[in-house]
Amino acid sequence: MKLVSLGSPALALELTLNSGQAFHWLREGHGWVGAIGETAVYLEQRAGELFVNLGAELAATNYLALDHPLGEIEASFPKDPVSQEALAFCRGMRILRQPKWEALATFITSSMKQVSHIAQISHTLRQRFGSAHVLNHKPVYSYPTPEALAALQEADLRKCALGYRAANLLATARKVASKEVDLDSIAVLPDPEAQMALRALPGVGEKVANCALLFGFERLKAFPVDVWIERVIRERYFTKRQKATPAAIRTFCATNFGPYGGYAQQYLFHHARLTWKKG
DNA sequence: CTCCAGGTTCCGG
DNA sequence: CCGGAACATGGA
């Protein structure tokens, strides 16, 4: 496998691939193997220099969002201790620019699941219904297309440990495959309209829509509120007196974290999930 | 065994 | 608008 250098961008590769944005990257040797869309990719960082397999340079550059102004983004974080702790913990993490369908579908399968479970589901779906691309003499599986999933029965997806999420993923896949819903059209809508369009899909509520917007639709202000973020906001930004209702949290997150709120959210999420102590 | 996980949907105050 | 309950599965 021939490797090509992509220079030494500001990037924490392992942190980025392992922070609960994408769920399919696997350790191999000194690097990582996975699919970016339909391209099989190997990524490795040595002394700050980023390497990728020959032919995957453009896919990797786009996916890793090396064009995001990370210095400006990290400088835009609020100066409060909570945000600054998360920044110190996650510096160099980037918000991946994932394929739209893949981001949407993956987070439909994520509800009430631990990160490790989401990864299991992603791998099972890829192996059974995705396409195999050979890299270094081994298969790398792409995420199944809407068409591939639309042709299945709910029972096929239940066998992938999807549980009640199977019906939602199938119904959404069929709406996209049939062109009843066009993700590329949603991609040009303003944030609120795009969010509402996504929320019309089965299994897509406010949180999943915001994940899709942030990770697949380049909306860097989208601020998904999951159980971890809710915990951080309630216990570290709100006082005991302030009631952390959904509306109060939504308003706070939309106004406190600036134009790159989605980045702040991802840093807060990862930091909380890995360092939170009970009690 | 019990508890909880990157929630959504529906239903009654 | 808010809080509760149902919904599947598997790791801690």
Side-chain angles (χ1 to χ4, degrees), chain A residues 89-125:
Chain A
F89 191 80
C90 298
R91 196 175 284 282
M93 183 193 295
R94 286 177 182 270
I95 298 291
L96 296 169
R97 183 183 283 117
Q98 300 183 55
K100 298 176 189 64
W101 165 249
E102 189 174 316
L104 173 62
T106 300
F107 280 93
I108 287 175
T109 68
S110 77
S111 81
M112 293 298 293
K113 279 283 178 193
Q114 292 182 349
V115 168
S116 63
H117 300 160
I118 303 167
Q120 280 181 22
I121 290 171
S122 175
H123 281 117
T124 304
L125 291 175

Short mmCIF file of all heavy atoms in Angstrom, two decimals, chain A residues 89-125:
data_model
loop_
_atom_site.label_atom_id
_atom_site.label_comp_id
_atom_site.label_asym_id
_atom_site.label_seq_id
_atom_site.Cartn_x
_atom_site.Cartn_y
_atom_site.Cartn_z
N PHE A 89 -8.89 19.46 26.68
CA PHE A 89 -8.96 17.99 26.58
C PHE A 89 -9.03 17.53 25.12
O PHE A 89 -8.55 16.45 24.79
CB PHE A 89 -10.19 17.51 27.34
CG PHE A 89 -10.26 16.02 27.55
CD1 PHE A 89 -9.53 15.40 28.56
CD2 PHE A 89 -11.08 15.23 26.74
CE1 PHE A 89 -9.60 14.03 28.77
CE2 PHE A 89 -11.15 13.85 26.93
CZ PHE A 89 -10.41 13.25 27.95
N CYS A 90 -9.65 18.34 24.27
CA CYS A 90 -9.97 17.90 22.90
C CYS A 90 -9.25 18.67 21.80
O CYS A 90 -9.56 18.49 20.61
CB CYS A 90 -11.47 18.02 22.65
SG CYS A 90 -12.48 16.99 23.71
N ARG A 91 -8.30 19.53 22.15
CA ARG A 91 -7.68 20.39 21.16
C ARG A 91 -7.23 19.60 19.93
O ARG A 91 -6.62 18.54 20.07
CB ARG A 91 -6.49 21.13 21.78
CG ARG A 91 -6.01 22.32 21.01
CD ARG A 91 -4.92 23.06 21.76
NE ARG A 91 -5.40 23.88 22.87
CZ ARG A 91 -5.97 25.08 22.73
NH1 ARG A 91 -6.13 25.59 21.52
NH2 ARG A 91 -6.38 25.75 23.78
N GLY A 92 -7.59 20.10 18.75
CA GLY A 92 -7.22 19.41 17.51
C GLY A 92 -8.31 18.52 16.94
O GLY A 92 -8.20 18.04 15.82
N MET A 93 -9.36 18.29 17.72
CA MET A 93 -10.47 17.48 17.20
C MET A 93 -11.23 18.26 16.14
O MET A 93 -11.51 19.45 16.31
CB MET A 93 -11.43 17.09 18.33
CG MET A 93 -12.56 16.18 17.86
SD MET A 93 -13.89 16.02 19.05
CE MET A 93 -13.07 15.18 20.38
N ARG A 94 -11.54 17.61 15.05
CA ARG A 94 -12.32 18.26 14.00
C ARG A 94 -13.70 17.63 13.86
O ARG A 94 -13.88 16.45 14.18
CB ARG A 94 -11.58 18.18 12.66
CG ARG A 94 -10.39 19.12 12.59
CD ARG A 94 -9.60 19.00 11.32
NE ARG A 94 -8.46 19.89 11.34
CZ ARG A 94 -8.50 21.15 10.91
NH1 ARG A 94 -9.58 21.64 10.34
NH2 ARG A 94 -7.42 21.92 10.99
N ILE A 95 -14.66 18.42 13.41
CA ILE A 95 -15.97 17.89 13.06
C ILE A 95 -15.86 17.31 11.65
O ILE A 95 -15.57 18.04 10.71
CB ILE A 95 -17.05 18.99 13.08
CG1 ILE A 95 -17.19 19.59 14.48
CG2 ILE A 95 -18.38 18.43 12.59
CD1 ILE A 95 -17.77 18.67 15.52
N LEU A 96 -16.04 16.01 11.54
CA LEU A 96 -15.93 15.35 10.23
C LEU A 96 -17.02 15.82 9.28
O LEU A 96 -18.14 16.12 9.69
CB LEU A 96 -16.05 13.83 10.42
CG LEU A 96 -14.94 13.17 11.24
CD1 LEU A 96 -15.33 11.73 11.56
CD2 LEU A 96 -13.62 13.22 10.49
N ARG A 97 -16.66 15.87 8.00
CA ARG A 97 -17.65 16.18 6.96
C ARG A 97 -18.07 14.84 6.35
O ARG A 97 -17.50 14.36 5.38
CB ARG A 97 -17.04 17.10 5.91
CG ARG A 97 -18.02 17.53 4.83
CD ARG A 97 -17.35 18.40 3.77
NE ARG A 97 -17.13 19.77 4.18
CZ ARG A 97 -15.94 20.36 4.31
NH1 ARG A 97 -14.84 19.67 4.08
NH2 ARG A 97 -15.83 21.62 4.69
N GLN A 98 -19.11 14.23 6.93
CA GLN A 98 -19.52 12.89 6.53
C GLN A 98 -20.56 12.96 5.41
O GLN A 98 -21.26 13.96 5.25
CB GLN A 98 -20.10 12.14 7.72
CG GLN A 98 -19.12 11.98 8.88
CD GLN A 98 -19.70 11.16 10.02
OE1 GLN A 98 -20.15 10.04 9.83
NE2 GLN A 98 -19.68 11.73 11.22
N PRO A 99 -20.69 11.87 4.64
CA PRO A 99 -21.76 11.81 3.64
C PRO A 99 -23.11 12.00 4.33
O PRO A 99 -23.33 11.49 5.44
CB PRO A 99 -21.62 10.40 3.06
CG PRO A 99 -20.19 10.03 3.30
CD PRO A 99 -19.83 10.68 4.60
N LYS A 100 -24.01 12.72 3.67
CA LYS A 100 -25.28 13.11 4.30
C LYS A 100 -26.10 11.90 4.74
O LYS A 100 -26.58 11.83 5.87
CB LYS A 100 -26.10 13.96 3.33
CG LYS A 100 -25.43 15.27 2.96
CD LYS A 100 -26.26 16.01 1.92
CE LYS A 100 -25.51 17.21 1.38
NZ LYS A 100 -24.27 16.82 0.65
N TRP A 101 -26.30 10.96 3.82
CA TRP A 101 -27.13 9.80 4.16
C TRP A 101 -26.51 9.00 5.31
O TRP A 101 -27.19 8.58 6.23
CB TRP A 101 -27.33 8.90 2.94
CG TRP A 101 -27.84 7.55 3.31
CD1 TRP A 101 -27.18 6.37 3.23
CD2 TRP A 101 -29.13 7.25 3.88
NE1 TRP A 101 -27.97 5.35 3.70
CE2 TRP A 101 -29.17 5.86 4.11
CE3 TRP A 101 -30.25 8.02 4.22
CZ2 TRP A 101 -30.28 5.22 4.66
CZ3 TRP A 101 -31.36 7.40 4.78
CH2 TRP A 101 -31.37 6.01 4.99
N GLU A 102 -25.20 8.83 5.23
CA GLU A 102 -24.51 8.05 6.25
C GLU A 102 -24.67 8.69 7.64
O GLU A 102 -24.93 7.99 8.63
CB GLU A 102 -23.03 7.96 5.87
CG GLU A 102 -22.21 7.01 6.69
CD GLU A 102 -20.79 6.89 6.13
OE1 GLU A 102 -20.64 6.76 4.89
OE2 GLU A 102 -19.85 6.92 6.93
N ALA A 103 -24.53 10.01 7.71
CA ALA A 103 -24.67 10.69 8.99
C ALA A 103 -26.11 10.57 9.50
O ALA A 103 -26.34 10.25 10.67
CB ALA A 103 -24.29 12.17 8.84
N LEU A 104 -27.05 10.80 8.63
CA LEU A 104 -28.46 10.72 9.03
C LEU A 104 -28.82 9.31 9.50
O LEU A 104 -29.37 9.12 10.59
CB LEU A 104 -29.35 11.13 7.85
CG LEU A 104 -30.85 10.94 8.05
CD1 LEU A 104 -31.36 11.81 9.19
CD2 LEU A 104 -31.61 11.25 6.75
N ALA A 105 -28.49 8.33 8.68
CA ALA A 105 -28.88 6.95 8.99
C ALA A 105 -28.19 6.45 10.26
O ALA A 105 -28.82 5.80 11.11
CB ALA A 105 -28.53 6.04 7.80
N THR A 106 -26.91 6.76 10.39
CA THR A 106 -26.17 6.29 11.56
C THR A 106 -26.81 6.82 12.85
O THR A 106 -26.93 6.09 13.83
CB THR A 106 -24.70 6.76 11.49
OG1 THR A 106 -24.10 6.22 10.32
CG2 THR A 106 -23.94 6.27 12.71
N PHE A 107 -27.22 8.07 12.83
CA PHE A 107 -27.77 8.63 14.06
C PHE A 107 -29.23 8.22 14.29
O PHE A 107 -29.71 8.25 15.42
CB PHE A 107 -27.53 10.14 14.13
CG PHE A 107 -26.13 10.43 14.59
CD1 PHE A 107 -25.11 10.64 13.67
CD2 PHE A 107 -25.81 10.42 15.94
CE1 PHE A 107 -23.80 10.85 14.09
CE2 PHE A 107 -24.51 10.63 16.38
CZ PHE A 107 -23.49 10.84 15.44
N ILE A 108 -29.92 7.78 13.24
CA ILE A 108 -31.22 7.15 13.47
C ILE A 108 -31.04 5.86 14.29
O ILE A 108 -31.84 5.54 15.15
CB ILE A 108 -31.93 6.85 12.13
CG1 ILE A 108 -32.43 8.15 11.51
CG2 ILE A 108 -33.09 5.87 12.32
CD1 ILE A 108 -33.05 7.98 10.13
N THR A 109 -29.94 5.17 14.03
CA THR A 109 -29.68 3.92 14.76
C THR A 109 -29.07 4.16 16.13
O THR A 109 -28.82 3.20 16.86
CB THR A 109 -28.74 2.99 13.96
OG1 THR A 109 -27.43 3.58 13.90
CG2 THR A 109 -29.26 2.76 12.55
N SER A 110 -28.82 5.42 16.49
CA SER A 110 -28.06 5.70 17.71
C SER A 110 -28.92 5.90 18.96
O SER A 110 -28.38 5.91 20.07
CB SER A 110 -27.22 6.97 17.51
OG SER A 110 -28.03 8.13 17.60
N SER A 111 -30.23 6.05 18.77
CA SER A 111 -31.04 6.47 19.92
C SER A 111 -31.04 5.44 21.03
O SER A 111 -31.23 4.25 20.80
CB SER A 111 -32.48 6.75 19.47
OG SER A 111 -33.21 5.57 19.35
N MET A 112 -30.79 5.90 22.24
CA MET A 112 -30.74 5.03 23.41
C MET A 112 -29.76 3.88 23.24
O MET A 112 -30.04 2.75 23.61
CB MET A 112 -32.13 4.50 23.74
CG MET A 112 -33.10 5.56 24.20
SD MET A 112 -32.56 6.36 25.72
CE MET A 112 -32.73 5.00 26.86
N LYS A 113 -28.61 4.17 22.63
CA LYS A 113 -27.58 3.16 22.46
C LYS A 113 -26.25 3.74 22.91
O LYS A 113 -25.96 4.91 22.67
CB LYS A 113 -27.46 2.78 20.97
CG LYS A 113 -28.51 1.78 20.51
CD LYS A 113 -28.13 0.41 20.99
CE LYS A 113 -29.13 -0.65 20.62
NZ LYS A 113 -28.92 -1.91 21.35
N GLN A 114 -25.41 2.91 23.53
CA GLN A 114 -24.06 3.34 23.84
C GLN A 114 -23.23 3.39 22.56
O GLN A 114 -23.54 2.70 21.59
CB GLN A 114 -23.41 2.37 24.82
CG GLN A 114 -24.03 2.39 26.20
CD GLN A 114 -23.35 1.46 27.18
OE1 GLN A 114 -22.53 0.63 26.78
NE2 GLN A 114 -23.69 1.58 28.45
N VAL A 115 -22.16 4.19 22.60
CA VAL A 115 -21.31 4.35 21.42
C VAL A 115 -20.84 2.99 20.89
O VAL A 115 -20.83 2.75 19.68
CB VAL A 115 -20.10 5.25 21.76
CG1 VAL A 115 -19.05 5.18 20.66
CG2 VAL A 115 -20.56 6.69 21.96
N SER A 116 -20.48 2.08 21.76
CA SER A 116 -19.99 0.77 21.31
C SER A 116 -21.09 -0.01 20.58
O SER A 116 -20.83 -0.75 19.64
CB SER A 116 -19.48 -0.05 22.49
OG SER A 116 -20.52 -0.30 23.40
N HIS A 117 -22.34 0.17 21.01
CA HIS A 117 -23.45 -0.51 20.34
C HIS A 117 -23.68 0.07 18.96
O HIS A 117 -23.98 -0.66 18.01
CB HIS A 117 -24.73 -0.37 21.16
CG HIS A 117 -24.64 -0.96 22.53
ND1 HIS A 117 -25.50 -0.61 23.55
CD2 HIS A 117 -23.80 -1.87 23.04
CE1 HIS A 117 -25.17 -1.29 24.63
NE2 HIS A 117 -24.15 -2.05 24.36
N ILE A 118 -23.59 1.40 18.87
CA ILE A 118 -23.77 2.06 17.58
C ILE A 118 -22.72 1.56 16.59
O ILE A 118 -23.01 1.30 15.42
CB ILE A 118 -23.68 3.59 17.74
CG1 ILE A 118 -24.70 4.08 18.76
CG2 ILE A 118 -23.89 4.29 16.41
CD1 ILE A 118 -24.47 5.52 19.21
N ALA A 119 -21.50 1.39 17.09
CA ALA A 119 -20.42 0.89 16.24
C ALA A 119 -20.72 -0.53 15.77
O ALA A 119 -20.52 -0.86 14.59
CB ALA A 119 -19.10 0.93 17.01
N GLN A 120 -21.22 -1.37 16.66
CA GLN A 120 -21.57 -2.74 16.27
C GLN A 120 -22.61 -2.75 15.16
O GLN A 120 -22.51 -3.48 14.18
CB GLN A 120 -22.14 -3.50 17.47
CG GLN A 120 -21.08 -4.04 18.44
CD GLN A 120 -21.71 -4.81 19.59
OE1 GLN A 120 -22.83 -5.27 19.48
NE2 GLN A 120 -20.98 -4.92 20.68
N ILE A 121 -23.63 -1.92 15.34
CA ILE A 121 -24.70 -1.85 14.34
C ILE A 121 -24.15 -1.37 13.00
O ILE A 121 -24.45 -1.92 11.94
CB ILE A 121 -25.83 -0.91 14.83
CG1 ILE A 121 -26.58 -1.57 15.99
CG2 ILE A 121 -26.78 -0.57 13.69
CD1 ILE A 121 -27.56 -0.65 16.70
N SER A 122 -23.29 -0.33 13.05
CA SER A 122 -22.71 0.21 11.82
C SER A 122 -21.93 -0.87 11.07
O SER A 122 -22.07 -1.03 9.86
CB SER A 122 -21.80 1.39 12.16
OG SER A 122 -21.13 1.85 11.00
N HIS A 123 -21.12 -1.63 11.80
CA HIS A 123 -20.32 -2.66 11.14
C HIS A 123 -21.18 -3.78 10.57
O HIS A 123 -20.93 -4.28 9.48
CB HIS A 123 -19.28 -3.21 12.11
CG HIS A 123 -18.08 -2.32 12.27
ND1 HIS A 123 -17.74 -1.73 13.46
CD2 HIS A 123 -17.17 -1.89 11.37
CE1 HIS A 123 -16.65 -0.98 13.29
NE2 HIS A 123 -16.30 -1.05 12.03
N THR A 124 -22.20 -4.17 11.31
CA THR A 124 -23.08 -5.23 10.81
C THR A 124 -23.80 -4.79 9.54
O THR A 124 -23.86 -5.53 8.55
CB THR A 124 -24.12 -5.61 11.88
OG1 THR A 124 -23.43 -5.99 13.07
CG2 THR A 124 -24.99 -6.77 11.40
N LEU A 125 -24.34 -3.58 9.54
CA LEU A 125 -25.03 -3.07 8.35
C LEU A 125 -24.08 -2.99 7.16
O LEU A 125 -24.44 -3.35 6.04
CB LEU A 125 -25.63 -1.69 8.64
CG LEU A 125 -26.81 -1.64 9.62
CD1 LEU A 125 -27.22 -0.20 9.88
CD2 LEU A 125 -28.00 -2.44 9.09
#
